[in-house]
Amino acid sequence: MVSGPSRRDMRARRLPTAVKIVIAGGFGVGKTTMVGTVSETQPLRTEEILTDEGIGVDDISGVERKNTTTVAMDFGRITMRDEYVLYLFGTPGQERFWFMWDEVALGALGAVVLADTRRLSDCFPSVDYFERRNTPFVVAVNCFEGAKRFDLAEIQMALNLGPKVPVVLCDARRLASCKEVLIKLVLHAMKSRGVTEEPEPQNA
C-alpha cells in the first residue's frame, strides 16, 4: 500500500501565505527605517526633501535633523519561516497625507503603530484610526537615543489603550527587534480574528 504525501510534505509544497501589514505612526518616528531594516528586497520609498512649503504645516519639533518625508508609502517584504510572506506598507506621517491611509490599510491583517516617547501624542491619530476600523494593532515604542524611558504600563495608560493591545519596545534599526514586533503583531491579529492556525491570504 502506497501512502499519500505527509502533512509536512504538503505544507512544504504550498506557497507561502501572503499577509499585508501596515506600519504607521507620527512624522519622523522610524517607519521608513523599520521597513528598510526588515525588507529582504530593495524597499520602495517615496521620500522627498522637506522644503519651505512645509513650514507651519509639518511639526518637526524633536526631529529637527530630519530632512526628508514619505509622501506616499514605503513598501518592503519579509518571509517568516517559509510559511508567511509579510508585505509591509509604511504610511506617511503628516496630517496632509492622511487621506491615503484608507488605500494603504485596505486588506491588512494588522498594523504596527510606532511611537516616540518624546512625541507620544503624534501616534494618537494612528491609534484612533485602527481602533475605528477594528484593525488589530500593536504599539511599538522606538527607543531613540536620549529619549526618556517609561514603563510599558505607563505608555499604555498615556495612550488610553485597551488591556488587550500589546505594547512593546523596539529598535527600528535592528532586524531582530523588528522581527519580534512583527511576530507579536501577527499572533495578536490572528488571535483577535479568531484564527487558530494560519491567516487567510490578504490582497497586498
PDB file of all heavy atoms in Angstrom, residues 23-24 29-31 33-35 37-38 112-117 138-145 147 149 152 155 167-182 184:
ATOM      1  N   ILE A  23       2.593  49.767   8.639  1.00  0.00           N
ATOM      2  CA  ILE A  23       3.479  50.387   9.617  1.00  0.00           C
ATOM      3  C   ILE A  23       3.087  51.863   9.690  1.00  0.00           C
ATOM      4  O   ILE A  23       3.234  52.592   8.707  1.00  0.00           O
ATOM      5  CB  ILE A  23       4.970  50.264   9.231  1.00  0.00           C
ATOM      6  CG1 ILE A  23       5.310  48.810   8.843  1.00  0.00           C
ATOM      7  CG2 ILE A  23       5.856  50.757  10.356  1.00  0.00           C
ATOM      8  CD1 ILE A  23       5.161  47.818   9.956  1.00  0.00           C
ATOM      9  N   ALA A  24       2.555  52.281  10.828  1.00  0.00           N
ATOM     10  CA  ALA A  24       2.025  53.641  10.955  1.00  0.00           C
ATOM     11  C   ALA A  24       2.674  54.362  12.130  1.00  0.00           C
ATOM     12  O   ALA A  24       3.459  53.791  12.886  1.00  0.00           O
ATOM     13  CB  ALA A  24       0.506  53.597  11.116  1.00  0.00           C
ATOM     14  N   VAL A  29       9.021  59.039  13.144  1.00  0.00           N
ATOM     15  CA  VAL A  29       9.052  58.060  14.232  1.00  0.00           C
ATOM     16  C   VAL A  29       9.857  56.808  13.886  1.00  0.00           C
ATOM     17  O   VAL A  29      10.146  55.996  14.753  1.00  0.00           O
ATOM     18  CB  VAL A  29       7.608  57.686  14.646  1.00  0.00           C
ATOM     19  CG1 VAL A  29       7.000  56.715  13.648  1.00  0.00           C
ATOM     20  CG2 VAL A  29       7.535  57.137  16.055  1.00  0.00           C
ATOM     21  N   GLY A  30      10.189  56.632  12.609  1.00  0.00           N
ATOM     22  CA  GLY A  30      11.019  55.496  12.220  1.00  0.00           C
ATOM     23  C   GLY A  30      10.352  54.482  11.316  1.00  0.00           C
ATOM     24  O   GLY A  30      10.836  53.350  11.167  1.00  0.00           O
ATOM     25  N   LYS A  31       9.254  54.852  10.670  1.00  0.00           N
ATOM     26  CA  LYS A  31       8.527  53.906   9.803  1.00  0.00           C
ATOM     27  C   LYS A  31       9.382  53.494   8.610  1.00  0.00           C
ATOM     28  O   LYS A  31       9.488  52.296   8.298  1.00  0.00           O
ATOM     29  CB  LYS A  31       7.210  54.553   9.325  1.00  0.00           C
ATOM     30  CG  LYS A  31       6.274  54.944  10.451  1.00  0.00           C
ATOM     31  CD  LYS A  31       4.996  55.566   9.942  1.00  0.00           C
ATOM     32  CE  LYS A  31       5.204  56.875   9.217  1.00  0.00           C
ATOM     33  NZ  LYS A  31       5.738  57.942  10.107  1.00  0.00           N
ATOM     34  N   THR A  33      12.594  53.627   8.343  1.00  0.00           N
ATOM     35  CA  THR A  33      13.729  52.862   8.858  1.00  0.00           C
ATOM     36  C   THR A  33      13.336  51.419   9.118  1.00  0.00           C
ATOM     37  O   THR A  33      14.059  50.484   8.746  1.00  0.00           O
ATOM     38  CB  THR A  33      14.260  53.497  10.156  1.00  0.00           C
ATOM     39  OG1 THR A  33      14.704  54.831   9.880  1.00  0.00           O
ATOM     40  CG2 THR A  33      15.413  52.686  10.725  1.00  0.00           C
ATOM     41  N   MET A  34      12.185  51.210   9.746  1.00  0.00           N
ATOM     42  CA  MET A  34      11.746  49.856  10.076  1.00  0.00           C
ATOM     43  C   MET A  34      11.520  49.025   8.816  1.00  0.00           C
ATOM     44  O   MET A  34      11.966  47.878   8.726  1.00  0.00           O
ATOM     45  CB  MET A  34      10.465  49.886  10.909  1.00  0.00           C
ATOM     46  CG  MET A  34      10.010  48.527  11.387  1.00  0.00           C
ATOM     47  SD  MET A  34       8.571  48.622  12.483  1.00  0.00           S
ATOM     48  CE  MET A  34       8.569  46.946  13.151  1.00  0.00           C
ATOM     49  N   VAL A  35      10.835  49.595   7.842  1.00  0.00           N
ATOM     50  CA  VAL A  35      10.585  48.863   6.595  1.00  0.00           C
ATOM     51  C   VAL A  35      11.903  48.515   5.917  1.00  0.00           C
ATOM     52  O   VAL A  35      12.099  47.395   5.435  1.00  0.00           O
ATOM     53  CB  VAL A  35       9.678  49.681   5.657  1.00  0.00           C
ATOM     54  CG1 VAL A  35       9.569  48.998   4.289  1.00  0.00           C
ATOM     55  CG2 VAL A  35       8.279  49.851   6.253  1.00  0.00           C
ATOM     56  N   THR A  37      14.812  48.156   7.321  1.00  0.00           N
ATOM     57  CA  THR A  37      15.580  47.218   8.132  1.00  0.00           C
ATOM     58  C   THR A  37      15.167  45.780   7.876  1.00  0.00           C
ATOM     59  O   THR A  37      16.014  44.884   7.763  1.00  0.00           O
ATOM     60  CB  THR A  37      15.419  47.543   9.628  1.00  0.00           C
ATOM     61  OG1 THR A  37      15.979  48.840   9.896  1.00  0.00           O
ATOM     62  CG2 THR A  37      16.125  46.506  10.497  1.00  0.00           C
ATOM     63  N   VAL A  38      13.875  45.534   7.776  1.00  0.00           N
ATOM     64  CA  VAL A  38      13.406  44.149   7.698  1.00  0.00           C
ATOM     65  C   VAL A  38      13.249  43.640   6.270  1.00  0.00           C
ATOM     66  O   VAL A  38      13.219  42.427   6.046  1.00  0.00           O
ATOM     67  CB  VAL A  38      12.058  43.967   8.434  1.00  0.00           C
ATOM     68  CG1 VAL A  38      12.190  44.361   9.888  1.00  0.00           C
ATOM     69  CG2 VAL A  38      10.947  44.750   7.766  1.00  0.00           C
ATOM     70  N   VAL A 112       1.327  47.935  12.853  1.00  0.00           N
ATOM     71  CA  VAL A 112       2.275  48.333  13.886  1.00  0.00           C
ATOM     72  C   VAL A 112       2.208  49.851  13.988  1.00  0.00           C
ATOM     73  O   VAL A 112       2.410  50.549  12.995  1.00  0.00           O
ATOM     74  CB  VAL A 112       3.716  47.905  13.535  1.00  0.00           C
ATOM     75  CG1 VAL A 112       4.706  48.475  14.558  1.00  0.00           C
ATOM     76  CG2 VAL A 112       3.837  46.399  13.458  1.00  0.00           C
ATOM     77  N   VAL A 113       1.896  50.363  15.185  1.00  0.00           N
ATOM     78  CA  VAL A 113       1.910  51.798  15.418  1.00  0.00           C
ATOM     79  C   VAL A 113       3.204  52.128  16.149  1.00  0.00           C
ATOM     80  O   VAL A 113       3.378  51.768  17.312  1.00  0.00           O
ATOM     81  CB  VAL A 113       0.696  52.258  16.246  1.00  0.00           C
ATOM     82  CG1 VAL A 113       0.811  53.755  16.562  1.00  0.00           C
ATOM     83  CG2 VAL A 113      -0.601  51.978  15.501  1.00  0.00           C
ATOM     84  N   LEU A 114       4.123  52.779  15.457  1.00  0.00           N
ATOM     85  CA  LEU A 114       5.383  53.177  16.070  1.00  0.00           C
ATOM     86  C   LEU A 114       5.167  54.432  16.906  1.00  0.00           C
ATOM     87  O   LEU A 114       4.451  55.346  16.496  1.00  0.00           O
ATOM     88  CB  LEU A 114       6.440  53.434  15.005  1.00  0.00           C
ATOM     89  CG  LEU A 114       7.144  52.202  14.416  1.00  0.00           C
ATOM     90  CD1 LEU A 114       8.065  52.620  13.275  1.00  0.00           C
ATOM     91  CD2 LEU A 114       7.933  51.464  15.479  1.00  0.00           C
ATOM     92  N   ALA A 115       5.811  54.458  18.073  1.00  0.00           N
ATOM     93  CA  ALA A 115       5.676  55.592  18.977  1.00  0.00           C
ATOM     94  C   ALA A 115       7.048  56.077  19.413  1.00  0.00           C
ATOM     95  O   ALA A 115       8.000  55.303  19.526  1.00  0.00           O
ATOM     96  CB  ALA A 115       4.843  55.197  20.196  1.00  0.00           C
ATOM     97  N   ASP A 116       7.131  57.382  19.666  1.00  0.00           N
ATOM     98  CA  ASP A 116       8.336  58.026  20.165  1.00  0.00           C
ATOM     99  C   ASP A 116       7.943  58.717  21.464  1.00  0.00           C
ATOM    100  O   ASP A 116       7.047  59.572  21.467  1.00  0.00           O
ATOM    101  CB  ASP A 116       8.843  59.034  19.124  1.00  0.00           C
ATOM    102  CG  ASP A 116      10.092  59.788  19.565  1.00  0.00           C
ATOM    103  OD1 ASP A 116      10.525  59.621  20.728  1.00  0.00           O
ATOM    104  OD2 ASP A 116      10.620  60.570  18.764  1.00  0.00           O
ATOM    105  N   THR A 117       8.561  58.352  22.578  1.00  0.00           N
ATOM    106  CA  THR A 117       8.154  58.914  23.871  1.00  0.00           C
ATOM    107  C   THR A 117       8.383  60.420  23.956  1.00  0.00           C
ATOM    108  O   THR A 117       7.791  61.090  24.802  1.00  0.00           O
ATOM    109  CB  THR A 117       8.908  58.229  25.026  1.00  0.00           C
ATOM    110  OG1 THR A 117      10.327  58.353  24.833  1.00  0.00           O
ATOM    111  CG2 THR A 117       8.527  56.756  25.106  1.00  0.00           C
ATOM    112  N   VAL A 138      -0.490  46.634  17.284  1.00  0.00           N
ATOM    113  CA  VAL A 138       0.378  46.704  18.452  1.00  0.00           C
ATOM    114  C   VAL A 138       1.064  48.061  18.426  1.00  0.00           C
ATOM    115  O   VAL A 138       1.263  48.647  17.362  1.00  0.00           O
ATOM    116  CB  VAL A 138       1.427  45.574  18.479  1.00  0.00           C
ATOM    117  CG1 VAL A 138       0.763  44.209  18.459  1.00  0.00           C
ATOM    118  CG2 VAL A 138       2.404  45.709  17.315  1.00  0.00           C
ATOM    119  N   VAL A 139       1.422  48.552  19.600  1.00  0.00           N
ATOM    120  CA  VAL A 139       2.189  49.789  19.700  1.00  0.00           C
ATOM    121  C   VAL A 139       3.637  49.415  19.995  1.00  0.00           C
ATOM    122  O   VAL A 139       3.917  48.715  20.973  1.00  0.00           O
ATOM    123  CB  VAL A 139       1.639  50.705  20.805  1.00  0.00           C
ATOM    124  CG1 VAL A 139       2.568  51.913  21.008  1.00  0.00           C
ATOM    125  CG2 VAL A 139       0.233  51.183  20.452  1.00  0.00           C
ATOM    126  N   ALA A 140       4.537  49.839  19.131  1.00  0.00           N
ATOM    127  CA  ALA A 140       5.964  49.554  19.290  1.00  0.00           C
ATOM    128  C   ALA A 140       6.684  50.862  19.592  1.00  0.00           C
ATOM    129  O   ALA A 140       6.685  51.777  18.768  1.00  0.00           O
ATOM    130  CB  ALA A 140       6.527  48.908  18.025  1.00  0.00           C
ATOM    131  N   VAL A 141       7.249  50.967  20.768  1.00  0.00           N
ATOM    132  CA  VAL A 141       7.953  52.179  21.187  1.00  0.00           C
ATOM    133  C   VAL A 141       9.380  52.123  20.660  1.00  0.00           C
ATOM    134  O   VAL A 141      10.180  51.298  21.096  1.00  0.00           O
ATOM    135  CB  VAL A 141       7.949  52.306  22.721  1.00  0.00           C
ATOM    136  CG1 VAL A 141       8.662  53.593  23.143  1.00  0.00           C
ATOM    137  CG2 VAL A 141       6.525  52.279  23.259  1.00  0.00           C
ATOM    138  N   ASN A 142       9.673  52.983  19.707  1.00  0.00           N
ATOM    139  CA  ASN A 142      11.002  53.029  19.107  1.00  0.00           C
ATOM    140  C   ASN A 142      11.948  53.730  20.076  1.00  0.00           C
ATOM    141  O   ASN A 142      11.740  54.897  20.434  1.00  0.00           O
ATOM    142  CB  ASN A 142      10.951  53.780  17.771  1.00  0.00           C
ATOM    143  CG  ASN A 142      12.176  53.523  16.920  1.00  0.00           C
ATOM    144  OD1 ASN A 142      13.029  52.714  17.250  1.00  0.00           O
ATOM    145  ND2 ASN A 142      12.263  54.225  15.797  1.00  0.00           N
ATOM    146  N   CYS A 143      12.955  53.035  20.526  1.00  0.00           N
ATOM    147  CA  CYS A 143      13.843  53.537  21.583  1.00  0.00           C
ATOM    148  C   CYS A 143      14.943  54.418  20.996  1.00  0.00           C
ATOM    149  O   CYS A 143      16.038  53.941  20.671  1.00  0.00           O
ATOM    150  CB  CYS A 143      14.442  52.376  22.369  1.00  0.00           C
ATOM    151  SG  CYS A 143      13.207  51.348  23.190  1.00  0.00           S
ATOM    152  N   PHE A 144      14.654  55.692  20.862  1.00  0.00           N
ATOM    153  CA  PHE A 144      15.633  56.644  20.355  1.00  0.00           C
ATOM    154  C   PHE A 144      16.665  56.961  21.441  1.00  0.00           C
ATOM    155  O   PHE A 144      16.341  57.003  22.630  1.00  0.00           O
ATOM    156  CB  PHE A 144      14.951  57.940  19.917  1.00  0.00           C
ATOM    157  CG  PHE A 144      14.157  57.819  18.652  1.00  0.00           C
ATOM    158  CD1 PHE A 144      12.806  57.500  18.688  1.00  0.00           C
ATOM    159  CD2 PHE A 144      14.761  58.024  17.419  1.00  0.00           C
ATOM    160  CE1 PHE A 144      12.071  57.393  17.526  1.00  0.00           C
ATOM    161  CE2 PHE A 144      14.032  57.915  16.247  1.00  0.00           C
ATOM    162  CZ  PHE A 144      12.689  57.601  16.297  1.00  0.00           C
ATOM    163  N   GLU A 145      17.890  57.201  21.017  1.00  0.00           N
ATOM    164  CA  GLU A 145      18.944  57.567  21.965  1.00  0.00           C
ATOM    165  C   GLU A 145      18.601  58.914  22.603  1.00  0.00           C
ATOM    166  O   GLU A 145      18.222  59.861  21.922  1.00  0.00           O
ATOM    167  CB  GLU A 145      20.292  57.642  21.248  1.00  0.00           C
ATOM    168  CG  GLU A 145      20.798  56.309  20.732  1.00  0.00           C
ATOM    169  CD  GLU A 145      22.138  56.423  20.037  1.00  0.00           C
ATOM    170  OE1 GLU A 145      22.726  57.525  20.099  1.00  0.00           O
ATOM    171  OE2 GLU A 145      22.587  55.444  19.438  1.00  0.00           O
ATOM    172  N   ALA A 147      16.122  59.550  24.536  1.00  0.00           N
ATOM    173  CA  ALA A 147      14.710  59.671  24.894  1.00  0.00           C
ATOM    174  C   ALA A 147      14.474  59.073  26.272  1.00  0.00           C
ATOM    175  O   ALA A 147      15.085  58.065  26.639  1.00  0.00           O
ATOM    176  CB  ALA A 147      13.835  58.960  23.862  1.00  0.00           C
ATOM    177  N   ARG A 149      12.952  56.940  29.190  1.00  0.00           N
ATOM    178  CA  ARG A 149      12.359  55.608  29.218  1.00  0.00           C
ATOM    179  C   ARG A 149      11.171  55.579  30.181  1.00  0.00           C
ATOM    180  O   ARG A 149      11.216  56.165  31.258  1.00  0.00           O
ATOM    181  CB  ARG A 149      13.395  54.565  29.662  1.00  0.00           C
ATOM    182  CG  ARG A 149      14.580  54.441  28.725  1.00  0.00           C
ATOM    183  CD  ARG A 149      14.159  53.853  27.374  1.00  0.00           C
ATOM    184  NE  ARG A 149      15.303  53.480  26.569  1.00  0.00           N
ATOM    185  CZ  ARG A 149      15.833  54.230  25.628  1.00  0.00           C
ATOM    186  NH1 ARG A 149      15.330  55.425  25.388  1.00  0.00           N
ATOM    187  NH2 ARG A 149      16.868  53.803  24.927  1.00  0.00           N
ATOM    188  N   LEU A 152       6.137  50.174  30.214  1.00  0.00           N
ATOM    189  CA  LEU A 152       5.137  49.916  29.181  1.00  0.00           C
ATOM    190  C   LEU A 152       3.723  50.182  29.701  1.00  0.00           C
ATOM    191  O   LEU A 152       2.852  50.639  28.950  1.00  0.00           O
ATOM    192  CB  LEU A 152       5.266  48.477  28.680  1.00  0.00           C
ATOM    193  CG  LEU A 152       6.581  48.146  27.968  1.00  0.00           C
ATOM    194  CD1 LEU A 152       6.567  46.700  27.498  1.00  0.00           C
ATOM    195  CD2 LEU A 152       6.821  49.088  26.797  1.00  0.00           C
ATOM    196  N   ILE A 155       2.966  53.827  29.324  1.00  0.00           N
ATOM    197  CA  ILE A 155       2.673  54.199  27.942  1.00  0.00           C
ATOM    198  C   ILE A 155       1.276  53.735  27.561  1.00  0.00           C
ATOM    199  O   ILE A 155       0.519  54.466  26.908  1.00  0.00           O
ATOM    200  CB  ILE A 155       3.729  53.579  26.999  1.00  0.00           C
ATOM    201  CG1 ILE A 155       5.103  54.186  27.305  1.00  0.00           C
ATOM    202  CG2 ILE A 155       3.354  53.792  25.540  1.00  0.00           C
ATOM    203  CD1 ILE A 155       6.247  53.531  26.573  1.00  0.00           C
ATOM    204  N   VAL A 167       1.866  46.390  23.918  1.00  0.00           N
ATOM    205  CA  VAL A 167       2.828  47.495  23.830  1.00  0.00           C
ATOM    206  C   VAL A 167       4.217  46.895  24.037  1.00  0.00           C
ATOM    207  O   VAL A 167       4.456  46.201  25.025  1.00  0.00           O
ATOM    208  CB  VAL A 167       2.553  48.577  24.889  1.00  0.00           C
ATOM    209  CG1 VAL A 167       3.564  49.715  24.751  1.00  0.00           C
ATOM    210  CG2 VAL A 167       1.133  49.121  24.758  1.00  0.00           C
ATOM    211  N   VAL A 168       5.109  47.144  23.096  1.00  0.00           N
ATOM    212  CA  VAL A 168       6.447  46.548  23.152  1.00  0.00           C
ATOM    213  C   VAL A 168       7.493  47.610  22.861  1.00  0.00           C
ATOM    214  O   VAL A 168       7.205  48.647  22.270  1.00  0.00           O
ATOM    215  CB  VAL A 168       6.595  45.386  22.141  1.00  0.00           C
ATOM    216  CG1 VAL A 168       5.648  44.247  22.472  1.00  0.00           C
ATOM    217  CG2 VAL A 168       6.346  45.882  20.711  1.00  0.00           C
ATOM    218  N   LEU A 169       8.718  47.341  23.286  1.00  0.00           N
ATOM    219  CA  LEU A 169       9.849  48.190  22.959  1.00  0.00           C
ATOM    220  C   LEU A 169      10.519  47.657  21.695  1.00  0.00           C
ATOM    221  O   LEU A 169      10.505  46.450  21.440  1.00  0.00           O
ATOM    222  CB  LEU A 169      10.866  48.208  24.101  1.00  0.00           C
ATOM    223  CG  LEU A 169      10.388  48.747  25.448  1.00  0.00           C
ATOM    224  CD1 LEU A 169      11.507  48.613  26.476  1.00  0.00           C
ATOM    225  CD2 LEU A 169       9.945  50.188  25.337  1.00  0.00           C
ATOM    226  N   CYS A 170      11.107  48.547  20.921  1.00  0.00           N
ATOM    227  CA  CYS A 170      11.809  48.084  19.722  1.00  0.00           C
ATOM    228  C   CYS A 170      12.894  49.070  19.333  1.00  0.00           C
ATOM    229  O   CYS A 170      12.930  50.206  19.822  1.00  0.00           O
ATOM    230  CB  CYS A 170      10.834  47.872  18.560  1.00  0.00           C
ATOM    231  SG  CYS A 170      10.341  49.376  17.698  1.00  0.00           S
ATOM    232  N   ASP A 171      13.760  48.612  18.469  1.00  0.00           N
ATOM    233  CA  ASP A 171      14.770  49.460  17.848  1.00  0.00           C
ATOM    234  C   ASP A 171      14.614  49.256  16.346  1.00  0.00           C
ATOM    235  O   ASP A 171      14.945  48.186  15.829  1.00  0.00           O
ATOM    236  CB  ASP A 171      16.171  49.061  18.311  1.00  0.00           C
ATOM    237  CG  ASP A 171      17.259  49.988  17.772  1.00  0.00           C
ATOM    238  OD1 ASP A 171      17.019  50.664  16.750  1.00  0.00           O
ATOM    239  OD2 ASP A 171      18.352  50.021  18.365  1.00  0.00           O
ATOM    240  N   ALA A 172      14.069  50.257  15.670  1.00  0.00           N
ATOM    241  CA  ALA A 172      13.762  50.121  14.247  1.00  0.00           C
ATOM    242  C   ALA A 172      14.997  49.901  13.388  1.00  0.00           C
ATOM    243  O   ALA A 172      14.876  49.560  12.211  1.00  0.00           O
ATOM    244  CB  ALA A 172      12.996  51.357  13.758  1.00  0.00           C
ATOM    245  N   ARG A 173      16.177  50.049  13.955  1.00  0.00           N
ATOM    246  CA  ARG A 173      17.415  49.857  13.199  1.00  0.00           C
ATOM    247  C   ARG A 173      17.907  48.422  13.268  1.00  0.00           C
ATOM    248  O   ARG A 173      18.826  48.050  12.541  1.00  0.00           O
ATOM    249  CB  ARG A 173      18.515  50.787  13.751  1.00  0.00           C
ATOM    250  CG  ARG A 173      18.165  52.271  13.693  1.00  0.00           C
ATOM    251  CD  ARG A 173      19.122  53.059  14.546  1.00  0.00           C
ATOM    252  NE  ARG A 173      19.093  52.623  15.948  1.00  0.00           N
ATOM    253  CZ  ARG A 173      19.854  53.135  16.904  1.00  0.00           C
ATOM    254  NH1 ARG A 173      20.708  54.109  16.620  1.00  0.00           N
ATOM    255  NH2 ARG A 173      19.760  52.681  18.155  1.00  0.00           N
ATOM    256  N   ARG A 174      17.312  47.603  14.157  1.00  0.00           N
ATOM    257  CA  ARG A 174      17.795  46.241  14.395  1.00  0.00           C
ATOM    258  C   ARG A 174      16.806  45.226  13.844  1.00  0.00           C
ATOM    259  O   ARG A 174      15.619  45.239  14.192  1.00  0.00           O
ATOM    260  CB  ARG A 174      18.022  46.003  15.881  1.00  0.00           C
ATOM    261  CG  ARG A 174      19.133  46.844  16.475  1.00  0.00           C
ATOM    262  CD  ARG A 174      19.321  46.534  17.960  1.00  0.00           C
ATOM    263  NE  ARG A 174      19.583  45.103  18.168  1.00  0.00           N
ATOM    264  CZ  ARG A 174      18.784  44.314  18.864  1.00  0.00           C
ATOM    265  NH1 ARG A 174      17.648  44.776  19.385  1.00  0.00           N
ATOM    266  NH2 ARG A 174      19.090  43.036  19.031  1.00  0.00           N
ATOM    267  N   LEU A 175      17.308  44.323  13.002  1.00  0.00           N
ATOM    268  CA  LEU A 175      16.454  43.334  12.352  1.00  0.00           C
ATOM    269  C   LEU A 175      15.753  42.437  13.371  1.00  0.00           C
ATOM    270  O   LEU A 175      14.550  42.199  13.271  1.00  0.00           O
ATOM    271  CB  LEU A 175      17.290  42.486  11.384  1.00  0.00           C
ATOM    272  CG  LEU A 175      16.556  41.346  10.667  1.00  0.00           C
ATOM    273  CD1 LEU A 175      15.397  41.877   9.850  1.00  0.00           C
ATOM    274  CD2 LEU A 175      17.527  40.554   9.791  1.00  0.00           C
ATOM    275  N   ALA A 176      16.499  41.930  14.345  1.00  0.00           N
ATOM    276  CA  ALA A 176      15.907  41.014  15.319  1.00  0.00           C
ATOM    277  C   ALA A 176      14.781  41.686  16.096  1.00  0.00           C
ATOM    278  O   ALA A 176      13.736  41.078  16.359  1.00  0.00           O
ATOM    279  CB  ALA A 176      16.983  40.505  16.281  1.00  0.00           C
ATOM    280  N   SER A 177      14.988  42.944  16.455  1.00  0.00           N
ATOM    281  CA  SER A 177      13.970  43.680  17.203  1.00  0.00           C
ATOM    282  C   SER A 177      12.708  43.875  16.371  1.00  0.00           C
ATOM    283  O   SER A 177      11.589  43.681  16.853  1.00  0.00           O
ATOM    284  CB  SER A 177      14.529  45.034  17.647  1.00  0.00           C
ATOM    285  OG  SER A 177      13.565  45.766  18.372  1.00  0.00           O
ATOM    286  N   CYS A 178      12.883  44.240  15.114  1.00  0.00           N
ATOM    287  CA  CYS A 178      11.731  44.448  14.228  1.00  0.00           C
ATOM    288  C   CYS A 178      10.973  43.150  13.989  1.00  0.00           C
ATOM    289  O   CYS A 178       9.738  43.133  13.942  1.00  0.00           O
ATOM    290  CB  CYS A 178      12.192  45.034  12.895  1.00  0.00           C
ATOM    291  SG  CYS A 178      12.851  46.714  13.012  1.00  0.00           S
ATOM    292  N   LYS A 179      11.709  42.043  13.841  1.00  0.00           N
ATOM    293  CA  LYS A 179      11.066  40.746  13.644  1.00  0.00           C
ATOM    294  C   LYS A 179      10.200  40.379  14.842  1.00  0.00           C
ATOM    295  O   LYS A 179       9.092  39.854  14.688  1.00  0.00           O
ATOM    296  CB  LYS A 179      12.117  39.660  13.407  1.00  0.00           C
ATOM    297  CG  LYS A 179      12.650  39.597  11.982  1.00  0.00           C
ATOM    298  CD  LYS A 179      13.538  38.386  11.813  1.00  0.00           C
ATOM    299  CE  LYS A 179      13.966  38.190  10.368  1.00  0.00           C
ATOM    300  NZ  LYS A 179      14.794  36.972  10.205  1.00  0.00           N
ATOM    301  N   GLU A 180      10.696  40.657  16.046  1.00  0.00           N
ATOM    302  CA  GLU A 180       9.923  40.359  17.247  1.00  0.00           C
ATOM    303  C   GLU A 180       8.609  41.128  17.256  1.00  0.00           C
ATOM    304  O   GLU A 180       7.559  40.600  17.639  1.00  0.00           O
ATOM    305  CB  GLU A 180      10.748  40.704  18.495  1.00  0.00           C
ATOM    306  CG  GLU A 180      11.904  39.752  18.744  1.00  0.00           C
ATOM    307  CD  GLU A 180      12.723  40.156  19.958  1.00  0.00           C
ATOM    308  OE1 GLU A 180      12.305  41.108  20.666  1.00  0.00           O
ATOM    309  OE2 GLU A 180      13.763  39.529  20.203  1.00  0.00           O
ATOM    310  N   VAL A 181       8.667  42.369  16.828  1.00  0.00           N
ATOM    311  CA  VAL A 181       7.452  43.189  16.763  1.00  0.00           C
ATOM    312  C   VAL A 181       6.458  42.600  15.764  1.00  0.00           C
ATOM    313  O   VAL A 181       5.256  42.488  16.040  1.00  0.00           O
ATOM    314  CB  VAL A 181       7.784  44.648  16.382  1.00  0.00           C
ATOM    315  CG1 VAL A 181       6.504  45.447  16.146  1.00  0.00           C
ATOM    316  CG2 VAL A 181       8.626  45.309  17.468  1.00  0.00           C
ATOM    317  N   LEU A 182       6.954  42.212  14.597  1.00  0.00           N
ATOM    318  CA  LEU A 182       6.080  41.676  13.558  1.00  0.00           C
ATOM    319  C   LEU A 182       5.456  40.340  13.977  1.00  0.00           C
ATOM    320  O   LEU A 182       4.272  40.089  13.717  1.00  0.00           O
ATOM    321  CB  LEU A 182       6.857  41.508  12.253  1.00  0.00           C
ATOM    322  CG  LEU A 182       7.323  42.816  11.594  1.00  0.00           C
ATOM    323  CD1 LEU A 182       8.222  42.522  10.408  1.00  0.00           C
ATOM    324  CD2 LEU A 182       6.135  43.670  11.175  1.00  0.00           C
ATOM    325  N   LYS A 184       4.884  39.430  17.046  1.00  0.00           N
ATOM    326  CA  LYS A 184       3.903  39.794  18.077  1.00  0.00           C
ATOM    327  C   LYS A 184       2.608  40.266  17.431  1.00  0.00           C
ATOM    328  O   LYS A 184       1.504  39.888  17.854  1.00  0.00           O
ATOM    329  CB  LYS A 184       4.472  40.904  18.957  1.00  0.00           C
ATOM    330  CG  LYS A 184       3.618  41.278  20.151  1.00  0.00           C
ATOM    331  CD  LYS A 184       3.807  40.290  21.272  1.00  0.00           C
ATOM    332  CE  LYS A 184       3.146  40.753  22.547  1.00  0.00           C
ATOM    333  NZ  LYS A 184       3.334  39.789  23.658  1.00  0.00           N
TER     334      LYS A 184
END
